[in-house]
Amino acid sequence: MFRDIWMTFERFLHSFGGMCLFLLRMLQFTPGVVLRRFRLVVYQVYNAGALSLVVIMISGLFVGAVLALLAHSSLEQFNAEDTTGIFAGLGLVKGIGPVLTALLFAGRAGTALTSEIGLMKATDQLSAMEMMAVDPVRYVAVPRFLGGVVAMPLLSAIFTAVGLLGAHLVAVEQYGVDVGAYWQQMQNVMDWEDVSEGITKSVVFGVVASLVAVWEGYNSTPTAEGVGRATTRTVVVTSIAVLFFNYMITAMYI
Amino acid sequence: MQFSRGSRSIFRDLDLTIRKGDVTAIMGPSGTGKTTLLQLITRQLSPDRGQVFVAGDDISGYSRLELYAMRKRMGMLFQNGALLTDLSVFENVAFPLREHTDLGERLIRNVVLMKLHAVGLRGAAYMMPSQLSGGMARRVALARAIVMDPALLIYDEPFVGLDPISMGVIAKLIRQLNDALGITSVVVSHDVHEIGEVADFSYVIADGRVAASGRPEDLKNEQSELVRQFMLGLADGPVAFHYDAPDYAQQLLGPSQD
C-alpha cells in the first residue's frame, strides 16, 4: 500500500513539475504572441469568455438569490434584515463569485479547451505544425491560455454583479428590505481590500484553470478514450486546485 | 541505425540512402516501422544508436532552431492530411507562408492559388476541411506541403483509404511534383501496385532491416520468400497468417483459463 501511495505521489510530482515547465515555456512565448498574434488571443477570449457568459449569468443570478434567502432568514431573527446586502456582497465578491466562476469555467470552457487540443493531437494537427516548423505551444497553447486568463476575471465580475442583482431581487423585491439600506450597508462595510481579494482569486483561478485545461489537452493520449480521460482530469484537477488556492488566498487576506 | 520502443526492437540494423531527385518508396508489411522511419528522418524521434543524415548533415545534434530551419526545407503529407480544422483550405495552405515569411497579402494569395491549382483544387479554396472528401483533403495537404518549395517531400501512406480515382490522382501528383519542382520524394506505402508506378527506387523493410531494395520491377523478381509474399500479397508465408498462439486443439478442448 505504501508503495502505491509513493508511486501516486511520484506521479503527481512528475506531472506537477511538467506543468510548471510548460507554464514557463508558455510565459516565454507570451510577449511574442501578444505582439504578433493578438487576434488569436482576442478570439480565444471570445471563445472562453463569451460562450460561457449565459451559464455564468444564470448561475450567478440563482446563487445570489439563494445567498439573500439564507442571509435574510437568519438575520430577520435579530431584526437585522437591512444588512442582507453585506452578506450577499461579501460572500459573492470575496469567495463564492470567483470560486463558482472558476468551477463553471472548468466545466464549460476548460473541457472544451482540453478536448479541442486533444483532438488536434489525435488528428496529427500538432505534429503537422511541428513539421511546418511552427511550435504548437506558441500557436495553439499560448493563445488559449491567455484567452482563459483574461476571460476568468471578467466572467467572475459578471457572475458577482448578476449575483448581487439576484440577491437584490430576493431581499428588496421579495422581502421588502429597503433598497437604500441594501446598497448603502454593502458600501459601508466593504472596502477595496475585499474587492482586491476577489480580483486576486479570479486571476489566480484563471491561470490555474487555463493551465490545467491546456496542459491536459496537450498531454492527452491521442485516442478517443485518452481525450475523454484528459477532459475528466481537467475538471477534477481544476476543482481541487481552485479550492486549495481559495483557502490559501483567503488565509493570506485575513 | 537502431531504434526500439520500450523492449520492442523496431530497427536492428537499418542502413539506407535516399537519392537526391528520386522518388524513393519505403515498403513493408504493417508494423515494420515505416512511419517510425519517417519520424526518425524528420527527427520527431531520435535513434538509440547510429545516425540520420539529411542533406549531408547529422541531424541528431540539431538544436530546436536548427531543426526548425531543416523542417522549413521539408514538406510532409500525413496519412489523414492533418489539415487545421479551424482554418479554410486557403488559410491552411497559406499557414506556412504567414508563419515564416513577410510576403504581402496579394503575393500570398497568388502563391496559394498557384499551389491549389497544381493539385486541382483552386475551386475549393474557400471550403472548410470538414467539407472535403478524403482524397481532396490529402491534395490540399499536399498543396500545403509544397507551398514553401521544399527540397524534400515526405509522404506517409498517401494512398490509404482512397478510391482508385483519388489514388491515381495522388500517384500522378507525386511523380509530377517531383519532376516539375526538382525535389526529392520519400513515399511510405504498402500499396505495391500504385507505388510501383511512381517510384524510381524502392526499399522493402522487414525484421528491423532492409530486406530488399531496387527498382520496382526488379523487386517483382526478388527471390526472398518474405519479399515475394509481400509483393504478391500472399496470406501466409514468413509473415504468418496466425499470430503466435498456443495449440489450437488444446486451447479449444482443454480447461478454460478465463
Side-chain angles (χ1 to χ4, degrees):
Chain A
M1 191 183 83
F2 287 114
R3 190 180 153 80
D4 287 347
I5 293 172
W6 174 248
M7 281 177 72
T8 307
F9 182 64
E10 217 172 47
R11 271 202 302 273
F12 166 75
L13 280 183
H14 187 260
S15 184
F16 182 71
M19 205 185 284
C20 290
L21 289 175
F22 189 70
L23 176 63
L24 288 177
R25 202 163 153 215
M26 285 200 294
L27 292 176
Q28 179 196 342
F29 288 131
T30 295
V33 171
V34 171
L35 290 174
R36 280 199 63 197
R37 295 184 175 80
F38 190 66
R39 281 177 63 185
L40 277 180
V41 179
V42 172
Y43 176 73
Q44 290 304 330
V45 173
Y46 169 79
N47 205 18
L51 299 179
S52 306
L53 209 52
V54 175
V55 69
I56 291 289
M57 288 173 74
I58 294 173
S59 307
L61 190 73
F62 286 118
V63 168
V66 169
L67 263 182
L69 272 177
L70 294 174
H72 186 271
S73 65
S74 303
L75 293 168
E76 72 176 345
Q77 296 172 35
F78 309 102
N79 288 328
E81 302 96 306
D82 286 354
T83 56
T84 301
I86 300 173
F87 286 86
L90 285 175
L92 282 166
V93 171
K94 289 173 58 136
I96 296 172
V99 169
L100 276 183
T101 306
L103 298 181
L104 289 167
F105 180 86
R108 168 64 185 81
T111 50
L113 282 180
T114 303
S115 53
E116 186 190 8
I117 297 174
L119 279 173
M120 288 178 85
K121 190 176 180 184
T123 52
D124 285 333
Q125 292 180 52
L126 301 186
S127 301
M129 281 185 199
E130 278 278 358
M131 279 309 302
M132 288 186 277
V134 174
D135 193 331
V137 171
R138 202 181 56 183
Y139 188 84
V140 175
V142 175
R144 283 162 177 77
F145 171 73
L146 293 178
V149 171
V150 173
M152 244 303 287
L154 300 176
L155 289 172
S156 179
I158 292 169
F159 182 98
T160 305
V162 176
L164 290 174
L165 189 71
H168 169 95
L169 287 176
V170 169
V172 177
E173 306 299 336
Q174 187 179 340
Y175 285 114
V177 172
D178 180 67
V179 65
Y182 175 83
W183 292 108
Q184 189 61 49
Q185 293 276 10
M186 199 190 300
Q187 195 181 348
N188 287 345
V189 171
M190 288 181 67
D191 55 20
W192 169 242
E193 200 171 300
D194 299 320
V195 180
S196 84
E197 183 178 338
I199 293 173
T200 306
K201 282 182 179 177
S202 63
V203 171
V204 172
F205 297 166
V207 172
V208 169
S210 308
L211 173 64
V212 172
V214 172
W215 162 261
E216 288 294 350
Y218 203 79
N219 288 284
S220 59
T221 309
T223 59
E225 191 196 6
V227 175
R229 278 175 187 272
T231 308
T232 307
R233 270 200 308 274
T234 291
V235 176
V236 173
V237 174
T238 305
S239 304
I240 292 170
V242 161
L243 295 173
F244 169 75
F245 280 109
N246 184 43
Y247 170 77
M248 297 296 282
I249 297 169
T250 307
M252 209 172 75
Y253 270 86
I254 283 174
Chain B
M1 181 246 296
Q2 293 179 2
F3 181 76
S4 316
R5 283 188 192 274
S7 58
R8 188 173 160 240
S9 171
I10 308 288
F11 299 127
R12 275 186 289 230
D13 180 20
L14 189 79
D15 186 4
L16 57 82
T17 306
I18 310 289
R19 293 175 212 197
K20 190 177 177 184
D22 276 3
V23 175
T24 303
I26 310 285
M27 298 191 286
S30 297
T32 47
K34 300 186 294 295
T35 301
T36 304
L37 178 60
L38 293 189
Q39 290 173 325
L40 287 159
I41 293 173
T42 55
R43 228 199 77 182
Q44 293 173 67
L45 297 171
S46 295
D48 300 332
R49 286 187 67 185
Q51 291 154 306
V52 178
F53 290 90
V54 175
D57 284 344
D58 178 7
I59 61 170
S60 56
Y62 271 10
S63 66
R64 198 170 184 83
L65 280 178
E66 288 171 320
L67 191 61
Y68 276 6
M70 176 192 84
R71 286 179 182 169
K72 282 181 197 169
R73 291 182 280 127
M74 287 181 172
M76 183 161 178
L77 181 70
F78 283 80
Q79 223 175 88
N80 54 13
L83 295 177
L84 306 178
T85 45
D86 55 341
L87 300 181
S88 68
V89 165
F90 181 94
E91 287 301 327
N92 261 284
V93 180
F95 184 78
L97 293 174
R98 293 198 195 287
E99 288 298 314
H100 299 306
T101 70
D102 295 319
L103 297 178
E105 200 53 40
R106 180 149 190 87
L107 199 50
I108 287 181
R109 178 179 170 274
N110 288 349
V111 172
V112 170
L113 290 178
M114 281 162 63
K115 300 298 178 187
L116 281 172
H117 185 75
V119 298
L121 289 177
R122 188 164 41 85
Y126 298 100
M127 290 168 81
M128 292 302 286
S130 58
Q131 296 172 288
L132 304 175
S133 68
M136 286 168 82
R138 231 163 282 185
R139 282 153 71 188
V140 173
L142 189 49
R144 185 178 65 180
I146 59 170
V147 78
M148 295 284 286
D149 294 329
L152 174 65
L153 202 45
I154 296 170
Y155 302 81
D156 186 9
E157 303 279 12
F159 306 116
V160 167
L162 296 184
D163 64 80
I165 299 172
S166 300
M167 278 167 79
V169 169
I170 295 286
K172 187 175 149 220
L173 282 171
I174 292 173
R175 189 72 252 178
Q176 274 184 348
L177 291 173
N178 192 80
D179 297 343
L181 302 176
I183 56 179
T184 304
S185 304
V186 181
V187 187
V188 154
S189 178
H190 44 227
D191 197 300
V192 175
H193 173 71
E194 217 61 49
I195 202 66
E197 299 285 310
V198 294
D200 296 305
F201 199 82
S202 301
Y203 287 101
V204 178
I205 294 177
D207 295 329
R209 60 185 178 79
V210 175
S213 64
R215 290 179 304 166
E217 57 269 28
D218 296 338
L219 288 181
K220 286 176 188 160
N221 304 320
E222 176 70 35
Q223 292 306 305
S224 154
E225 267 190 75
L226 190 140
V227 177
R228 280 180 60 77
Q229 184 192 4
F230 179 74
M231 298 301 284
L232 299 174
L234 304 175
D236 214 347
V239 178
F241 173 71
H242 288 291
Y243 192 72
D244 279 349
D247 182 72
Y248 190 32
Q250 197 178 11
Q251 193 169 25
L252 287 181
L253 302 172
S256 170
Q257 292 181 0
D258 295 335

